[in-house]
Amino acid sequence: NLEPMKKTLLLVKESLLINNINQAIKVLEESDIDDINLNSWLVEAKNLAEANSNFYKFKIKILNLME
């Protein structure tokens, strides 16, 4: 039965369409999908989310210094 996997992937797609990578990561982590390609994507997505977070923190520091 592929229906649960289809629903999960649809939720991931919707999260990515609204630029919410953290939600997409959460949906995949909570799913029971065990696919090497999705697991690889998940690792890369976590790296991207961490980079985005670090960039945001850096941007806030720069803005605070400009005040």
Side-chain angles (χ1 to χ4, degrees):
N1 187 6
L2 295 177
E3 199 60 34
M5 183 185 296
K6 185 177 176 181
K7 287 181 181 179
T8 297
L9 294 176
L10 183 58
L11 286 172
V12 170
K13 178 182 170 183
E14 290 172 354
S15 297
L16 292 173
L17 285 173
I18 61 170
N19 202 28
N20 191 342
I21 195 164
N22 290 321
Q23 180 64 26
I25 291 169
K26 181 180 175 187
V27 168
L28 273 181
E29 287 180 330
E30 292 176 353
S31 75
D32 59 354
I33 298 174
D34 187 23
D35 178 84
I36 193 163
N37 293 321
L38 284 179
N39 290 337
S40 175
W41 180 88
L42 190 56
V43 169
E44 291 181 27
K46 287 179 181 179
N47 289 336
L48 178 60
E50 183 178 353
N52 282 338
S53 175
N54 289 339
F55 178 72
Y56 178 78
K57 290 174 187 174
F58 178 70
K59 182 173 74 171
I60 295 300
K61 284 184 180 183
I62 295 289
L63 290 173
N64 285 337
L65 289 173
M66 294 174 67
E67 291 181 343

